[in-house]
Structures are given as C-alpha cells and as structure tokens.
Amino acid sequence: MTLQRSVYGIQIDEHTRCAHYHQPFDVIAIKHYCCHVHYSCHACHEALADHPAEVWPTDHFHEPAVLCGMCGLELSVTDYLSTGSCPGCQTDFNPGCKAHANLYFAPGQYA
C-alpha cells in the first residue's frame, strides 16, 4: 500500500513509523494544525518544521487530522480520540499515543 498523502518525518517507513516511534502499532501521522502538513510525530515536526507546533482547537475537532499509515484513511480528531483502531482497516493504534494528545490537540474529551 502506498499512501496518497505526503508524510514528513525522520526515517519514516511506508506506514508512517519514524525514528522516534517505530513499534508495529505506531501507524498514524498527525496533520499539524499550524501548517496542515502530516508529520509522523511531534518530535519530527519539531526537528523539521520551521515554526512551532500549534494544537488543534476543539472547534476544529471535526476536521480530518489523523492519517492511518496502513490504509490511508484520515480520521477527524473526534473520531481518532474515540477509537483504538482504524475504522477502515481495523489496524490497532498505539494506545500510548493518547497519553501525549495534548501535544497535538487542545484539551477536550481525552483530558
């Protein structure tokens, strides 16, 4: 499977895993609100972007923001935060990612 969207990161593989997060279930990329560019993780954005990251405001949680690195489905913030796997391909997402959701999303239902 080849993703139709560009994903940026350090040493990323075909499923959006990067040098920072490369467990088998590390298969999402986040479209950062500040630039609307998909990065494998917050550390990749910090290393590669020319600006500081901004979190998704709660009034934009309905917009597509989280890319499944297995099938290419893009989920809204709300949909991503309410599931543990991709609704398109059923691939499990890393449950630990939600522990640092505050790096990507304004405080909301996950806080």
Side-chain angles (χ1 to χ4, degrees):
M1 193 259 350
T2 303
L3 292 175
Q4 298 299 311
R5 294 173 184 86
S6 295
V7 176
Y8 297 91
I10 298 171
Q11 299 172 352
I12 59 171
D13 71 9
E14 68 274 13
H15 299 294
T16 74
R17 296 177 195 100
C18 67
H20 307 103
Y21 298 98
H22 46 269
Q23 300 286 338
F25 48 42
D26 288 323
V27 293
I28 64 162
I30 307 288
K31 183 191 306 178
H32 280 65
Y33 184 74
C34 48
C35 54
H36 286 264
V37 173
H38 289 94
Y39 282 91
S40 290
C41 73
H42 61 93
C44 286
H45 182 276
E46 184 177 333
L48 300 174
D50 62 357
H51 57 273
E54 295 178 25
V55 297
W56 280 87
T58 55
D59 62 336
H60 288 267
F61 275 19
H62 65 282
E63 296 178 21
V66 181
L67 180 69
C68 174
M70 297 304 284
C71 73
L73 180 70
E74 196 165 20
L75 290 76
S76 70
V77 176
T78 300
D79 289 343
Y80 168 69
L81 292 173
S82 68
T83 190
S85 62
C86 177
C89 67
Q90 285 70 53
T91 298
D92 289 332
F93 296 146
N94 184 342
C97 289
K98 290 183 181 141
H100 53 259
N102 64 309
L103 298 173
Y104 303 104
F105 314 121
Q109 71 256 26
Y110 65 90

